[in-house]
Each structure stands twice: as C-alpha cells, then as structure tokens.
Amino acid sequence: MLHSVEAARAGAVLTVDLGAVRANYRQLAAMARARCAAVMKADAYGLGMEQVAPALAQEGCTVFFTAHLDEGIRLRPLLGPGCAIYVLHGPPPGTAGDCAAHGLVPVLNDPGQLHEWRALARALGRELQAAIQLDTGMSRMGIAPADLAALSADPGWLDGLRPVLVMSHLASADEPAHPMNAAQRERFERLRAILPGVPASLANSSGIFLGPDYHYDLLRPGAALYGINPQPGNPNPLRQAVSLHARVVQVRTAIDGDVVGYGCHHVVAGARRIATVSIGYADGWLRSLSGRGQARIGGQVVPVVGRVSMDSMGLDVTGVPDSLVQPGAEVELLGPTLTVDDVAAAAGTIGYEVLTRLGSRFHRRYR
Ligand SMILES: *Cc1c(COP(=O)(O)O)cnc(C)c1O
C-alpha cells in the first residue's frame, strides 16, 4: 500500500475510495423517489471536498450542502453552474452580498437572516433564491414556530425571495423507535404548510432509513455517503470509503514490569513484542483510543497499548511473525474490517467524529 515516495515518507496514508462514495450515493438515491443531495461540510467529512464533490456530480448529484459560507465559496468552482449549493448556517451577519455573489443559496434560519437576505434582494433589484429551515424541535438551527408565526403575519414576509426549499433536521433519526422522529415529522407537516408548493427536505442519512414518510423531495445524506452506518446496531448496508495505514517505526521486546508510553499506564506482563507505530492524536487518531484501539498487521488484529502520543502509539504485536513486524511494515488502522464505526465505538465517540478528525497530515490517495 505504501507505494509512492511521498507515501513512504509520510507517517500515514489515507486512501479514499471514490468508487465506494459513488456506489453509496447510487444506493441511497435508489432508496427514494426524492432527489438525493450530498452534504459536503467539513471538507466532505474529512475525505476531501475537492475530489468528492466532482465525483458525486458525475453520479448525477446536482444539490450540495455546506455548513459555512467559506466552504460554499470553495465548493462553487468545483461544480458546474447547474448545481445548487446551499449554505446550512446561512450567511453570517454582513456577508449576504458574498453569498449571492458566489451563486450560493443560503439556508435562512432566523428572522435576522431572512431580513438581511430580503434587504439584499431589494438592493440588487432582483429576486433571490432561499431555503427556509424550520425548527421542529431540535433547538439548534431553524426558524422557531413562534418566530415563524410572527414573520408570516406580514403578507410580504417573503417579498423579493423565491423559496426553493423548506427543510428541517431530525434529532434522533439514528434511533428509529424514538418518538421524536414522528413528532418532528408532524411538526414539519404543520409548519411547512405556510410554504405551499415549495420542495421539502427532512432526511439526513439515518432519516432516509426511516422510510418514505421522511423522504419528501430531497434527501440530505452526509455520513452514509462516506461509509458511516446510518442504522447503528444493524449491519451496515454501505461501503467503507476510507482506509488508513501507518507504519512501524521501531520494534522492541519488553519484559515483565516494563511500561509503555506516557503516564506508565500500560505495564507489561511477561515478555511482549511492542511495535511503535507512526500515528498519533495530532493526526486525528483520537487519544481516547489509548489502551482501547486496534490495528491489523500481518493479517492479525493487535491491540493498542499505552497512551496514544502526539505522533505515535504502541501496539502489542506478540505472536505476529517478526518478519511481518519490521520497521517500515504497514499497519492498517481503518479498512473493511476495522471500520470507522468500530474505531468510534472503541474511542467512545461516533463515526462522524473519527472521520472528520482525520488530519491533513496524512499523505492522501484517491481511488
Ligand atoms: C450534517 C447535516 C446533514 C447530513 O447528516 P448525516 O447524518 O451526516 O447524513 C443533513 N442536514 C443537516 C441540516 C446537517 O447539518
């Protein structure tokens, strides 16, 4: 795997399987009659927006979401003019002009954003597209029901605007039995009646798996495109999109009572072979994997021992043939059987955090 010179010099290599991302997009899009968008925030969840966005456009994706305005500005030149880019946070105060100038559609989340976008439409003397987000109970982003009622009491509340999407976001879609799902859907139904005929969107990755009642006109998956399991506890129907390999820096024999790593938390019992591997928390390999993570070397799964350091960590490779654990030997950290969700479970977090933390320090390869 560590073929090229750049790869051989780097501490670790992140391989992004664009074919898997594309296959995941096709699979999700085929689940609904709705259109399927792609969420690109946080550099396509760490996989690299520059590569992922055009790959999905080739799959027929024409609607993209970023979180921040600057992400949308970076995404714009990667896509053709026929693609729509929505900025989920809306323009920060004072930036509506930038948003319009770059051909981005803001998601308007509160009365202030709505007023600013309308003022810009007036100043430009042309109609501006807008997505309207409604808060259906998550209390994160979106116009609150009371604000919506107050706004819409003014018949001109959308003057100068062309609403092209009405959306909301589910708080508990990864727990299909959670009553919040149906409650939010009902609130969405009730609130969106104020925007008749406007295309609607409710489902993130997990929301798609809640069934057709949640699909509306546009699906908004992020995580599932990148291989995170949208139905925790069930087999993952999607393909892993990343693999991560580091290398052995050094191997030693430790004897009874020796300690491994900072803080002396791992005490060796008996004679063990310990490999130091070139990845640490500065690479986004979470420090909470100390003493809990796993890796694969020479076909065997071995445990992380001791604390994860900034640039390295220890593996107990006792039992792996010496010939396979030499300096330079490849160590798999993420792959088909060491999934993003497995690593997340060991680290006490979610796959989203594992993926989005993977640093820019790696050598990256795209397949
Ligand atoms: C992040 C996000 C998504 C995508 O969610 P996934 O769970 O990654 O599919 C969709 N909609 C909104 C509003 C988001 O913030």
Side-chain angles (χ1 to χ4, degrees), residues 288-314:
S288 55
L289 291 163
S290 298
R292 310 193 46 164
Q294 293 189 318
R296 180 184 292 274
I297 182 164
Q300 291 186 39
V301 174
V302 297
V304 173
V305 289
R307 281 209 183 138
V308 174
S309 296
M310 183 186 288
D311 318 299
S312 67
M313 66 175 181

Side-chain angles (χ1 to χ4, degrees), residues 132 147 191:
I132 312 277
D147 287 335
L191 295 171

